[in-house]
Amino acid sequence: MKALSLLLPVLLAVLSSGSDRVSVSVEVPRRVDGSAGNSVVLPCKFRSSYADYTTFDITVIWKMKVFYTGPVLFNSTNRLKTSKIFENVVHTNINGRYRLAGDPRKKDASLELKNAMLDDNSEYFCRVEVKRQGLPPYMDETNPGTILKITGPPAILNVSIQTINDTQFTIVCIAQGEPSPNIMWIDPQNNRIPMNGSNTPVMRGPEKYQIIGRLHDPKLGGNYSCVATNDRGNVTHTIYFTSFNEQWRLLKIIICASAGGLCLIILIVIVVMIWRRKRGTATFTPQAKSYQPDSSTYCKVKLYQQQSTPESTCNAAESPEMNNQ
């Protein structure tokens, strides 16, 4: 009996291989919606006459973009590990973003995609293979597959100011989102600038799901806000723009401040010099010198006082020093 039970699956496989009956049939929904940043499950159910037999392995393969020949994202085989215990052996898992959300032994080959992104928008194909060693596999792959539609609120990637010849200015805002967001500008006076005008063109960006909004020749100086909106939400990013008039006004302020500072320094230097000069005159006390006339001068003065004759002579003995003796 035991030998017969082991041969029965083989006999069924051989018999069914020559019949028109489909041994594996896979079913998936045509479309699945998801949100950026969240996990999303791609459902896949299948039917098979041999999925319940422990001697058969069940392989689940998920592809994208193109039926049958598209790139493989996930490949896992469910097989018997020990008595009545099965394990999933993963062969391929691109970037580690996928995992089986269903149990192949319960005919569920659903796939979970972690941290969905806008770039995950594509068509996905579920392939199930039921096989036993020594026998050709029974397989089926969905065609058409499941269209995954990921949507998300807008995100502003960058806001910058571009110049041409230092005279023409443009504020550039790069945003992304799905559905494609609209871009609106708010000037420093909190006025909304009309969208898609001659000075506010919007075009597709270099990457998918990106748009670029431009504000040509802003007139006012101050904060300009780029607002990106879609039905999933909105986001705002602000940048400060210095207008030509404001630059000239700032330059005049700098020049006046520099000139005022220079005048103040000169005035301080003059005050210090005057103070030091006055301080030097007040404290200068030269030592008095006693006047000591020489002998010749003494003689001349004495002769003049006596009204002596020209022939009169003055001897050195008549000097003050001699008389004092």
Side-chain angles (χ1 to χ4, degrees):
M1 291 296 294
K2 185 176 181 179
L4 181 60
S5 63
L6 293 176
L7 290 175
L8 182 59
V10 178
L11 293 175
L12 291 174
V14 173
L15 292 174
S16 61
S17 64
S19 65
D20 295 332
R21 184 170 64 87
V22 178
S23 298
V24 178
S25 177
V26 181
E27 297 178 357
V28 295
R30 183 59 179 141
R31 173 168 169 158
V32 171
D33 295 324
S35 300
N38 298 325
S39 296
V40 60
V41 174
L42 301 173
C44 179
K45 304 290 185 179
F46 68 94
R47 295 189 301 270
S48 173
S49 303
Y50 311 109
D52 295 329
Y53 292 104
T54 60
T55 55
F56 279 79
D57 296 342
I58 303 174
T59 298
V60 176
I61 300 174
W62 279 88
K63 305 174 183 178
M64 70 181 300
K65 296 183 179 179
V66 182
F67 167 71
Y68 195 74
T69 60
V72 175
L73 302 175
F74 184 81
N75 185 338
S76 176
T77 299
N78 183 278
R79 67 187 182 186
L80 184 67
K81 181 178 181 181
T82 60
S83 177
K84 298 182 180 181
I85 298 178
F86 297 90
E87 64 176 351
N88 289 316
V89 180
V90 178
H91 310 293
T92 304
N93 187 357
I94 300 299
N95 297 326
R97 299 182 61 211
Y98 308 92
R99 77 171 187 88
L100 277 176
D103 184 357
R105 291 297 161 178
K106 296 181 180 179
K107 302 180 179 61
D108 188 349
S110 301
L111 184 73
E112 180 183 2
L113 168 61
K114 302 176 183 178
N115 191 24
M117 300 180 293
L118 298 180
D119 289 336
D120 291 324
N121 285 323
S122 184
E123 187 172 5
Y124 293 78
F125 302 90
C126 178
R127 179 185 180 90
V128 177
E129 299 178 355
V130 180
K131 56 186 175 181
R132 184 178 185 275
Q133 187 174 1
L135 294 177
Y138 297 92
M139 65 187 71
D140 187 30
E141 182 173 331
T142 57
N143 188 26
T146 298
I147 296 176
L148 176 62
K149 182 63 176 179
I150 300 296
T151 58
I156 295 180
L157 306 180
N158 185 42
V159 178
S160 61
I161 299 175
Q162 297 179 356
T163 61
I164 301 177
N165 299 327
D166 294 331
T167 57
Q168 299 178 3
F169 299 91
T170 299
I171 305 177
V172 181
C173 179
I174 303 177
Q176 71 175 14
E178 182 62 26
S180 182
N182 296 315
I183 288 183
M184 177 182 65
W185 295 95
I186 300 177
D187 68 12
Q189 295 180 349
N190 205 31
N191 297 318
R192 294 187 177 186
I193 302 175
M195 295 183 297
N196 289 323
S198 59
N199 289 336
T200 57
V202 178
M203 63 186 65
R204 285 288 179 181
E207 302 294 335
K208 197 174 181 181
Y209 309 110
Q210 287 186 3
I211 60 170
I212 299 177
R214 289 182 169 86
L215 174 59
H216 294 306
D217 194 24
K219 301 299 184 182
L220 303 175
N223 289 323
Y224 282 83
S225 297
C226 171
V227 183
T229 61
N230 65 9
D231 58 7
R232 299 291 178 174
N234 63 81
V235 64
T236 302
H237 189 93
T238 301
I239 190 170
Y240 189 86
F241 172 73
T242 304
S243 66
F244 178 78
N245 292 333
E246 188 174 3
Q247 291 179 357
W248 174 241
R249 188 162 54 250
L250 181 62
L251 180 60
K252 289 193 294 184
I253 293 174
I254 294 175
I255 293 175
C256 293
S258 301
L262 181 60
C263 292
L264 180 62
I265 293 174
I266 294 174
L267 180 61
I268 292 174
V269 171
I270 293 174
V271 170
V272 171
M273 292 178 63
I274 295 174
W275 177 79
R276 292 184 63 181
R277 179 173 296 181
K278 289 182 178 180
R279 181 174 178 273
T281 303
T283 58
F284 177 70
T285 54
Q287 184 178 2
K289 293 177 63 178
S290 58
Y291 177 70
Q292 297 291 341
D294 55 13
S295 59
S296 61
T297 303
Y298 177 81
C299 290
K300 291 179 180 180
V301 173
K302 185 175 180 181
L303 290 174
Y304 178 78
Q305 292 177 348
Q306 295 177 356
Q307 297 182 356
S308 58
T309 60
E311 288 80 12
S312 299
T313 60
C314 182
N315 297 326
E318 295 178 343
S319 63
E321 292 83 352
M322 295 298 294
N323 292 331
N324 292 333
Q325 293 178 359

